[in-house]
Amino acid sequence: METPVAVASPALHTAPRRARRAWLADLPVLAVAVVWGGSYLAAKGITTAHTVIAVLVLRFALVLPVLVVAGWKRLRALTPAQLRGAGLLGLVLGGIFLLETYGVVHTSATNAGLIISLTMIFTPLADAAVKRKAPSASFLGAAAASVLGVVLLTQGAGFTAPGLGDLLILGAALARTLHVLLMARSEGVRGADPLSLTTVQLGGAVLVFALLAALPGTGATPWAAAADFGPEQWAGLAFLSVFCTLFAFFVQMWAVRRTSPSRVSLLLGTEPLWAAVAGIALGGEHLGPLGYAGVLLVLVGTAWGRRAVTTAA
């Protein structure tokens, strides 16, 4: 009796190729999560309470011309309603960056990266409230684990009131939630090109920072801050501008076209893990047993929450 000859199915060849292509798309997205996780430590390294607004002007003014040139034709195609909608979102975005940057000056990079991850819990809760639809018990459990984790994280030295920086980062997480809901529900920006929408938003945020910088008593001017920068500060600013803004945005646009938005979202959801790694390994930040328990709960809670939302969808 002859031994049957196995005939390879075309699907058997294409499946590994598809898996390899998916992983090739995943790696740059994972790199974005890593640099975003490191952004809190970088911002903390180059910013003081006196230079927050100046650093924000410098960070985004450096990348804005690149975005304008890259998407000039599509920018000109935006309707007046889309420009107004994106401009409003830019004001909210400016508030987010102000809260985040002032917050990271007054807390640790580890705390900042983990507390801001609560956006992944706040957003579905807010969306459910708007839609008057109760979230699942699984999601509520994830939310409770995350909130408890943040409480433990910010009380590593004992049960005291959270610091000013922790509260500012918490405000930034709430502002991020508002930003997501406005983007989803604003009729003016629907159908707008993502690159153009981001460019107008960043332009609106830079305008807010520039106006604040011009007011007396708001800290150093961008020029004075830049003049005081040494090589390390310029390297940190370049990291925030080039990698955390330009690189991150273009990778997201590239990856969504080659994989799925859900896959991109899950990979970017590892950002708080990298923030903790950067803060502890590179920033020399120390967490007590309660702090480490809080880190674990936040990571588990946000991962559980993303899974619960994905399953419900």
mmCIF file with all atom_site columns, all heavy atoms in Angstrom, residues 212-230:
data_model
loop_
_atom_site.group_PDB
_atom_site.id
_atom_site.type_symbol
_atom_site.label_atom_id
_atom_site.label_alt_id
_atom_site.label_comp_id
_atom_site.label_asym_id
_atom_site.label_entity_id
_atom_site.label_seq_id
_atom_site.pdbx_PDB_ins_code
_atom_site.Cartn_x
_atom_site.Cartn_y
_atom_site.Cartn_z
_atom_site.occupancy
_atom_site.B_iso_or_equiv
_atom_site.pdbx_formal_charge
_atom_site.auth_seq_id
_atom_site.auth_comp_id
_atom_site.auth_asym_id
_atom_site.auth_atom_id
_atom_site.pdbx_PDB_model_num
ATOM 1   N N   . LEU A 1 212 ? -0.856 81.376 27.093 1.00 0.00 ? 212 LEU A N   1
ATOM 2   C CA  . LEU A 1 212 ? -0.535 81.300 28.511 1.00 0.00 ? 212 LEU A CA  1
ATOM 3   C C   . LEU A 1 212 ? 0.896  81.754 28.775 1.00 0.00 ? 212 LEU A C   1
ATOM 4   O O   . LEU A 1 212 ? 1.175  82.432 29.777 1.00 0.00 ? 212 LEU A O   1
ATOM 5   C CB  . LEU A 1 212 ? -0.726 79.864 29.017 1.00 0.00 ? 212 LEU A CB  1
ATOM 6   C CG  . LEU A 1 212 ? -2.166 79.372 29.146 1.00 0.00 ? 212 LEU A CG  1
ATOM 7   C CD1 . LEU A 1 212 ? -2.194 77.891 29.525 1.00 0.00 ? 212 LEU A CD1 1
ATOM 8   C CD2 . LEU A 1 212 ? -2.936 80.189 30.170 1.00 0.00 ? 212 LEU A CD2 1
ATOM 9   N N   . ALA A 1 213 ? 1.811  81.380 27.875 1.00 0.00 ? 213 ALA A N   1
ATOM 10  C CA  . ALA A 1 213 ? 3.219  81.764 28.044 1.00 0.00 ? 213 ALA A CA  1
ATOM 11  C C   . ALA A 1 213 ? 3.398  83.272 27.980 1.00 0.00 ? 213 ALA A C   1
ATOM 12  O O   . ALA A 1 213 ? 4.333  83.824 28.574 1.00 0.00 ? 213 ALA A O   1
ATOM 13  C CB  . ALA A 1 213 ? 4.074  81.086 26.978 1.00 0.00 ? 213 ALA A CB  1
ATOM 14  N N   . ALA A 1 214 ? 2.490  83.951 27.243 1.00 0.00 ? 214 ALA A N   1
ATOM 15  C CA  . ALA A 1 214 ? 2.597  85.401 27.109 1.00 0.00 ? 214 ALA A CA  1
ATOM 16  C C   . ALA A 1 214 ? 2.070  86.148 28.329 1.00 0.00 ? 214 ALA A C   1
ATOM 17  O O   . ALA A 1 214 ? 2.327  87.354 28.475 1.00 0.00 ? 214 ALA A O   1
ATOM 18  C CB  . ALA A 1 214 ? 1.843  85.858 25.856 1.00 0.00 ? 214 ALA A CB  1
ATOM 19  N N   . LEU A 1 215 ? 1.331  85.446 29.192 1.00 0.00 ? 215 LEU A N   1
ATOM 20  C CA  . LEU A 1 215 ? 0.786  86.097 30.385 1.00 0.00 ? 215 LEU A CA  1
ATOM 21  C C   . LEU A 1 215 ? 1.855  86.208 31.467 1.00 0.00 ? 215 LEU A C   1
ATOM 22  O O   . LEU A 1 215 ? 2.681  85.306 31.628 1.00 0.00 ? 215 LEU A O   1
ATOM 23  C CB  . LEU A 1 215 ? -0.408 85.303 30.914 1.00 0.00 ? 215 LEU A CB  1
ATOM 24  C CG  . LEU A 1 215 ? -1.639 85.208 30.011 1.00 0.00 ? 215 LEU A CG  1
ATOM 25  C CD1 . LEU A 1 215 ? -2.689 84.294 30.652 1.00 0.00 ? 215 LEU A CD1 1
ATOM 26  C CD2 . LEU A 1 215 ? -2.224 86.596 29.761 1.00 0.00 ? 215 LEU A CD2 1
ATOM 27  N N   . PRO A 1 216 ? 1.849  87.289 32.235 1.00 0.00 ? 216 PRO A N   1
ATOM 28  C CA  . PRO A 1 216 ? 2.817  87.411 33.334 1.00 0.00 ? 216 PRO A CA  1
ATOM 29  C C   . PRO A 1 216 ? 2.499  86.418 34.445 1.00 0.00 ? 216 PRO A C   1
ATOM 30  O O   . PRO A 1 216 ? 1.338  86.098 34.704 1.00 0.00 ? 216 PRO A O   1
ATOM 31  C CB  . PRO A 1 216 ? 2.630  88.860 33.811 1.00 0.00 ? 216 PRO A CB  1
ATOM 32  C CG  . PRO A 1 216 ? 1.257  89.244 33.358 1.00 0.00 ? 216 PRO A CG  1
ATOM 33  C CD  . PRO A 1 216 ? 0.993  88.491 32.094 1.00 0.00 ? 216 PRO A CD  1
ATOM 34  N N   . GLY A 1 217 ? 3.550  85.911 35.068 1.00 0.00 ? 217 GLY A N   1
ATOM 35  C CA  . GLY A 1 217 ? 3.375  85.016 36.204 1.00 0.00 ? 217 GLY A CA  1
ATOM 36  C C   . GLY A 1 217 ? 3.113  83.565 35.854 1.00 0.00 ? 217 GLY A C   1
ATOM 37  O O   . GLY A 1 217 ? 2.767  82.774 36.735 1.00 0.00 ? 217 GLY A O   1
ATOM 38  N N   . THR A 1 218 ? 3.270  83.191 34.559 1.00 0.00 ? 218 THR A N   1
ATOM 39  C CA  . THR A 1 218 ? 3.025  81.795 34.169 1.00 0.00 ? 218 THR A CA  1
ATOM 40  C C   . THR A 1 218 ? 4.321  81.010 33.978 1.00 0.00 ? 218 THR A C   1
ATOM 41  O O   . THR A 1 218 ? 4.309  79.917 33.423 1.00 0.00 ? 218 THR A O   1
ATOM 42  C CB  . THR A 1 218 ? 2.197  81.739 32.867 1.00 0.00 ? 218 THR A CB  1
ATOM 43  O OG1 . THR A 1 218 ? 2.847  82.508 31.847 1.00 0.00 ? 218 THR A OG1 1
ATOM 44  C CG2 . THR A 1 218 ? 0.798  82.275 33.099 1.00 0.00 ? 218 THR A CG2 1
ATOM 45  N N   . GLY A 1 219 ? 5.425  81.567 34.419 1.00 0.00 ? 219 GLY A N   1
ATOM 46  C CA  . GLY A 1 219 ? 6.679  80.836 34.336 1.00 0.00 ? 219 GLY A CA  1
ATOM 47  C C   . GLY A 1 219 ? 7.596  81.370 33.255 1.00 0.00 ? 219 GLY A C   1
ATOM 48  O O   . GLY A 1 219 ? 7.366  82.444 32.678 1.00 0.00 ? 219 GLY A O   1
ATOM 49  N N   . ALA A 1 220 ? 8.639  80.611 32.980 1.00 0.00 ? 220 ALA A N   1
ATOM 50  C CA  . ALA A 1 220 ? 9.640  81.031 31.995 1.00 0.00 ? 220 ALA A CA  1
ATOM 51  C C   . ALA A 1 220 ? 9.052  81.064 30.597 1.00 0.00 ? 220 ALA A C   1
ATOM 52  O O   . ALA A 1 220 ? 8.133  80.305 30.264 1.00 0.00 ? 220 ALA A O   1
ATOM 53  C CB  . ALA A 1 220 ? 10.821 80.061 32.032 1.00 0.00 ? 220 ALA A CB  1
ATOM 54  N N   . THR A 1 221 ? 9.586  81.938 29.761 1.00 0.00 ? 221 THR A N   1
ATOM 55  C CA  . THR A 1 221 ? 9.186  81.958 28.353 1.00 0.00 ? 221 THR A CA  1
ATOM 56  C C   . THR A 1 221 ? 9.853  80.781 27.640 1.00 0.00 ? 221 THR A C   1
ATOM 57  O O   . THR A 1 221 ? 10.861 80.238 28.106 1.00 0.00 ? 221 THR A O   1
ATOM 58  C CB  . THR A 1 221 ? 9.635  83.262 27.679 1.00 0.00 ? 221 THR A CB  1
ATOM 59  O OG1 . THR A 1 221 ? 11.075 83.293 27.640 1.00 0.00 ? 221 THR A OG1 1
ATOM 60  C CG2 . THR A 1 221 ? 9.100  84.477 28.416 1.00 0.00 ? 221 THR A CG2 1
ATOM 61  N N   . PRO A 1 222 ? 9.308  80.367 26.500 1.00 0.00 ? 222 PRO A N   1
ATOM 62  C CA  . PRO A 1 222 ? 9.942  79.275 25.746 1.00 0.00 ? 222 PRO A CA  1
ATOM 63  C C   . PRO A 1 222 ? 11.399 79.582 25.406 1.00 0.00 ? 222 PRO A C   1
ATOM 64  O O   . PRO A 1 222 ? 12.251 78.693 25.435 1.00 0.00 ? 222 PRO A O   1
ATOM 65  C CB  . PRO A 1 222 ? 9.082  79.162 24.486 1.00 0.00 ? 222 PRO A CB  1
ATOM 66  C CG  . PRO A 1 222 ? 7.743  79.677 24.907 1.00 0.00 ? 222 PRO A CG  1
ATOM 67  C CD  . PRO A 1 222 ? 8.023  80.763 25.891 1.00 0.00 ? 222 PRO A CD  1
ATOM 68  N N   . TRP A 1 223 ? 11.683 80.849 25.074 1.00 0.00 ? 223 TRP A N   1
ATOM 69  C CA  . TRP A 1 223 ? 13.047 81.207 24.687 1.00 0.00 ? 223 TRP A CA  1
ATOM 70  C C   . TRP A 1 223 ? 13.999 81.102 25.874 1.00 0.00 ? 223 TRP A C   1
ATOM 71  O O   . TRP A 1 223 ? 15.125 80.613 25.734 1.00 0.00 ? 223 TRP A O   1
ATOM 72  C CB  . TRP A 1 223 ? 13.055 82.633 24.119 1.00 0.00 ? 223 TRP A CB  1
ATOM 73  C CG  . TRP A 1 223 ? 11.789 82.964 23.406 1.00 0.00 ? 223 TRP A CG  1
ATOM 74  C CD1 . TRP A 1 223 ? 10.870 83.914 23.745 1.00 0.00 ? 223 TRP A CD1 1
ATOM 75  C CD2 . TRP A 1 223 ? 11.269 82.309 22.234 1.00 0.00 ? 223 TRP A CD2 1
ATOM 76  N NE1 . TRP A 1 223 ? 9.814  83.893 22.874 1.00 0.00 ? 223 TRP A NE1 1
ATOM 77  C CE2 . TRP A 1 223 ? 10.028 82.931 21.928 1.00 0.00 ? 223 TRP A CE2 1
ATOM 78  C CE3 . TRP A 1 223 ? 11.715 81.264 21.419 1.00 0.00 ? 223 TRP A CE3 1
ATOM 79  C CZ2 . TRP A 1 223 ? 9.244  82.538 20.850 1.00 0.00 ? 223 TRP A CZ2 1
ATOM 80  C CZ3 . TRP A 1 223 ? 10.934 80.872 20.346 1.00 0.00 ? 223 TRP A CZ3 1
ATOM 81  C CH2 . TRP A 1 223 ? 9.729  81.507 20.072 1.00 0.00 ? 223 TRP A CH2 1
ATOM 82  N N   . ALA A 1 224 ? 13.537 81.554 27.052 1.00 0.00 ? 224 ALA A N   1
ATOM 83  C CA  . ALA A 1 224 ? 14.385 81.476 28.241 1.00 0.00 ? 224 ALA A CA  1
ATOM 84  C C   . ALA A 1 224 ? 14.626 80.019 28.641 1.00 0.00 ? 224 ALA A C   1
ATOM 85  O O   . ALA A 1 224 ? 15.743 79.640 29.013 1.00 0.00 ? 224 ALA A O   1
ATOM 86  C CB  . ALA A 1 224 ? 13.733 82.236 29.398 1.00 0.00 ? 224 ALA A CB  1
ATOM 87  N N   . ALA A 1 225 ? 13.571 79.197 28.548 1.00 0.00 ? 225 ALA A N   1
ATOM 88  C CA  . ALA A 1 225 ? 13.728 77.784 28.885 1.00 0.00 ? 225 ALA A CA  1
ATOM 89  C C   . ALA A 1 225 ? 14.696 77.100 27.927 1.00 0.00 ? 225 ALA A C   1
ATOM 90  O O   . ALA A 1 225 ? 15.566 76.322 28.336 1.00 0.00 ? 225 ALA A O   1
ATOM 91  C CB  . ALA A 1 225 ? 12.375 77.082 28.854 1.00 0.00 ? 225 ALA A CB  1
ATOM 92  N N   . ALA A 1 226 ? 14.559 77.409 26.629 1.00 0.00 ? 226 ALA A N   1
ATOM 93  C CA  . ALA A 1 226 ? 15.441 76.797 25.629 1.00 0.00 ? 226 ALA A CA  1
ATOM 94  C C   . ALA A 1 226 ? 16.891 77.215 25.844 1.00 0.00 ? 226 ALA A C   1
ATOM 95  O O   . ALA A 1 226 ? 17.815 76.415 25.661 1.00 0.00 ? 226 ALA A O   1
ATOM 96  C CB  . ALA A 1 226 ? 14.977 77.178 24.226 1.00 0.00 ? 226 ALA A CB  1
ATOM 97  N N   . ALA A 1 227 ? 17.088 78.475 26.236 1.00 0.00 ? 227 ALA A N   1
ATOM 98  C CA  . ALA A 1 227 ? 18.451 78.965 26.453 1.00 0.00 ? 227 ALA A CA  1
ATOM 99  C C   . ALA A 1 227 ? 19.123 78.257 27.629 1.00 0.00 ? 227 ALA A C   1
ATOM 100 O O   . ALA A 1 227 ? 20.350 78.116 27.653 1.00 0.00 ? 227 ALA A O   1
ATOM 101 C CB  . ALA A 1 227 ? 18.421 80.473 26.697 1.00 0.00 ? 227 ALA A CB  1
ATOM 102 N N   . ASP A 1 228 ? 18.333 77.797 28.592 1.00 0.00 ? 228 ASP A N   1
ATOM 103 C CA  . ASP A 1 228 ? 18.886 77.118 29.759 1.00 0.00 ? 228 ASP A CA  1
ATOM 104 C C   . ASP A 1 228 ? 19.074 75.613 29.548 1.00 0.00 ? 228 ASP A C   1
ATOM 105 O O   . ASP A 1 228 ? 19.627 74.937 30.415 1.00 0.00 ? 228 ASP A O   1
ATOM 106 C CB  . ASP A 1 228 ? 17.980 77.338 30.974 1.00 0.00 ? 228 ASP A CB  1
ATOM 107 C CG  . ASP A 1 228 ? 18.057 78.771 31.494 1.00 0.00 ? 228 ASP A CG  1
ATOM 108 O OD1 . ASP A 1 228 ? 19.070 79.446 31.215 1.00 0.00 ? 228 ASP A OD1 1
ATOM 109 O OD2 . ASP A 1 228 ? 17.105 79.210 32.167 1.00 0.00 ? 228 ASP A OD2 1
ATOM 110 N N   . PHE A 1 229 ? 18.583 75.099 28.417 1.00 0.00 ? 229 PHE A N   1
ATOM 111 C CA  . PHE A 1 229 ? 18.686 73.663 28.170 1.00 0.00 ? 229 PHE A CA  1
ATOM 112 C C   . PHE A 1 229 ? 20.128 73.256 27.894 1.00 0.00 ? 229 PHE A C   1
ATOM 113 O O   . PHE A 1 229 ? 20.852 73.924 27.161 1.00 0.00 ? 229 PHE A O   1
ATOM 114 C CB  . PHE A 1 229 ? 17.831 73.254 26.972 1.00 0.00 ? 229 PHE A CB  1
ATOM 115 C CG  . PHE A 1 229 ? 16.380 73.001 27.295 1.00 0.00 ? 229 PHE A CG  1
ATOM 116 C CD1 . PHE A 1 229 ? 15.892 73.197 28.576 1.00 0.00 ? 229 PHE A CD1 1
ATOM 117 C CD2 . PHE A 1 229 ? 15.499 72.553 26.320 1.00 0.00 ? 229 PHE A CD2 1
ATOM 118 C CE1 . PHE A 1 229 ? 14.561 72.971 28.880 1.00 0.00 ? 229 PHE A CE1 1
ATOM 119 C CE2 . PHE A 1 229 ? 14.176 72.320 26.602 1.00 0.00 ? 229 PHE A CE2 1
ATOM 120 C CZ  . PHE A 1 229 ? 13.692 72.529 27.891 1.00 0.00 ? 229 PHE A CZ  1
ATOM 121 N N   . GLY A 1 230 ? 20.526 72.128 28.474 1.00 0.00 ? 230 GLY A N   1
ATOM 122 C CA  . GLY A 1 230 ? 21.791 71.502 28.122 1.00 0.00 ? 230 GLY A CA  1
ATOM 123 C C   . GLY A 1 230 ? 21.534 70.341 27.190 1.00 0.00 ? 230 GLY A C   1
ATOM 124 O O   . GLY A 1 230 ? 20.383 70.099 26.776 1.00 0.00 ? 230 GLY A O   1
#
